[in-house]
Amino acid sequence: MPAVLALETSCDESAAALVTEAGVVASALASQVEEHARWGGVVPEIASRRHLEALPGLIARVQRESGLSLAAIDAVAATVTPGLVGALLVGSVMGRTLARLHQKPFLGIHHLEGHLCSAWLEGDRPPMPHLVLLVSGGHSELLRVDRPGRYRRLGRSRDDAAGECFDKVARLLGLGYPGGPAIERAALGGDERRFAFPKGRVSLPDGGFHPYDFSFSGLKTAVGRQVRELEQAGGPLPLADLAASFQAVVGDVLVERSLRCAEAEGLDTLVVVGGVAANRRLRERLREQASARGIDWRVAPLAWCTDNAAMIGRAALERLAAGQTSPITLGVAARFPLEEADALYAESPCF
Ligand code: KG4
Ligand code: ZN
């Protein structure tokens, strides 16, 4: 059974994992979140340095925990796009060096393909084709997946990503970084119907609204305006109600538009992945609404929603099974379309 060593360093989590077709054998993660929290966001230079320090120890740990030596694995994989270039370079160079040293194939992985595969790290693959709602710090997209490697984007955010919106609103409420978990905690016990925040509909040039594109920047502005009004009125901010009302509208919009998209495209399975998929209010809404509308749904296991290397290993196994490997000279790129991810396995490097 093929085993892959996978590395993830695209943003502020350093991670290594050993994955086989049977599941995750070992996974280790070093989060830099606390260090970046001081600055209110990720500082690229600090991220690269911390990856460089953390990765060797994480690789050693997954080897120890899995009992698998590098000689016994079948391939090495690393995230190569999208992300912070300096951060990606650390994982990519380490991955390619290990692959060359141990004469194993190397696979460069598209980070978003990793997120898509996170949904079947535990359990069966969802039926193909299916619809994926991918909601992370950098992306909010609806993707039709015909098979691993064949994707079509059906919807997207026109401005901020959902996770980015959580992060910005958390900063506005003085709740710290990363915003998603902070807002979820602050919302506990809050009244989600107290404030009616806008659902961010996207106008079409010929009138009407886009059925399933998202817009989150107006929502952030509306929360800001509400906070200023409340501050001017004096007294402590009703943080729990603000957080709960905000969290509810994001979850409702995401679930509502995803289900509409699935119905319109005749896709009867909806899969939700990415950091924001960890949100419990969103998960509850998905369960209620999808079941009510007869759409089969699944959401990535909580442990694999935010960035990790296991999902990168899962994506690498899919590519390996399709007979694909990357050239050892493949570089990294800040951005690259997911729809073109096949190019990472072309004979000559695409970047
Ligand atoms: O997938 P991810 O770890 O990294 C990217 O590839 O971007 O997603 C991180 C994002 C952050 O914006 C964070 O605030 C959000 O996911 N997030 C959450 C929750 N946990 C993380 N948003 C809402 N609720 C959560 N529980
Ligand atoms: Zn991610």
Side-chain angles (χ1 to χ4, degrees):
M1 190 185 294
V4 174
L5 169 69
L7 310 176
E8 156 65 40
T9 61
S10 65
C11 191
D12 57 353
E13 315 276 6
S14 319
L18 253 157
V19 185
T20 70
E21 286 293 338
V24 185
V25 184
S27 166
L29 188 128
S31 180
Q32 312 170 359
V33 161
E34 277 176 22
E35 187 152 3
H36 296 291
R38 288 201 289 152
W39 311 99
V42 180
V43 184
E45 171 76 17
I46 297 179
S48 310
R49 286 169 186 267
R50 295 296 167 264
H51 288 313
L52 203 53
E53 288 162 10
L55 216 46
L58 296 172
I59 295 170
R61 213 168 98 200
V62 296
Q63 276 186 263
R64 208 167 48 239
E65 282 174 16
S66 65
L68 282 175
S69 70
L70 285 173
I73 60 157
D74 299 276
V76 182
T79 306
V80 291
T81 192
L84 303 168
V85 166
L88 289 166
L89 271 173
V90 177
S92 146
V93 169
M94 274 198 209
R96 287 188 285 149
T97 307
L98 289 174
R100 178 48 76 84
L101 208 63
H102 296 273
Q103 295 171 359
K104 307 289 178 188
F106 172 74
L107 292 103
I109 301 294
H110 195 292
H111 181 78
L112 301 188
E113 188 163 290
H115 275 300
L116 298 192
C117 295
S118 68
W120 63 92
L121 267 169
E122 293 169 18
D124 302 337
R125 258 192 193 177
M128 312 274 170
H130 61 255
L131 182 68
V132 173
L133 169 67
L134 167 71
V135 269
S136 69
H139 297 85
S140 300
E141 307 198 342
L142 284 162
L143 297 155
R144 178 191 165 101
V145 179
D146 285 294
R147 59 170 165 76
R150 192 179 167 92
Y151 313 108
R152 194 151 59 86
R153 192 170 70 180
L154 301 173
R156 65 186 167 98
S157 171
R158 298 292 182 103
D159 38 60
D160 294 349
E164 188 180 0
C165 187
F166 267 95
D167 295 335
K168 287 180 175 170
V169 167
R171 196 179 316 164
L172 220 141
L173 298 177
L175 293 173
Y177 174 87
I183 288 196
E184 193 166 345
R185 275 193 304 275
L188 286 173
D191 174 6
E192 64 174 50
R193 277 187 285 224
R194 167 123 179 236
F195 301 103
F197 292 128
K199 290 194 161 179
R201 293 199 289 177
V202 176
S203 305
L204 291 171
D206 303 331
F209 297 99
H210 193 287
Y212 28 79
D213 271 2
F214 309 105
S215 164
F216 291 109
S217 74
L219 171 58
K220 171 197 66 194
T221 310
V223 178
R225 204 178 307 123
Q226 185 63 256
V227 167
R228 273 195 306 280
E229 268 176 35
L230 290 161
E231 278 172 347
Q232 278 159 10
L237 274 183
L239 278 180
D241 296 348
L242 283 164
S245 303
F246 164 75
Q247 173 178 260
V249 77
V250 177
D252 290 353
V253 162
L254 289 172
V255 170
E256 198 175 292
R257 288 186 201 161
S258 303
L259 291 173
R260 195 179 299 156
C261 181
E263 284 168 349
E265 295 290 326
L267 297 167
D268 50 22
T269 305
L270 172 64
V271 175
V272 186
V273 299
V276 180
N279 188 271
R280 284 177 182 78
R281 169 64 172 71
L282 169 82
R283 295 166 88 95
E284 258 166 46
R285 193 61 170 191
L286 175 69
R287 178 160 44 80
E288 288 162 18
Q289 295 289 309
S291 309
R293 287 156 79 160
I295 292 197
D296 193 16
W297 60 277
R298 63 178 80 187
V299 54
L302 215 48
W304 311 123
C305 284
T306 46
D307 289 349
N308 63 84
M311 67 185 194
I312 302 302
R314 184 61 251 179
L317 287 171
E318 299 289 342
R319 293 292 184 174
L320 210 53
Q324 294 174 309
T325 59
S326 301
I328 197 77
T329 50
L330 182 67
V332 300
R335 300 167 172 276
F336 196 75
L338 173 66
E339 294 89 331
E340 290 167 33
D342 267 338
L344 302 180
Y345 313 100
E347 212 165 302
S348 46
C350 57
F351 46 68

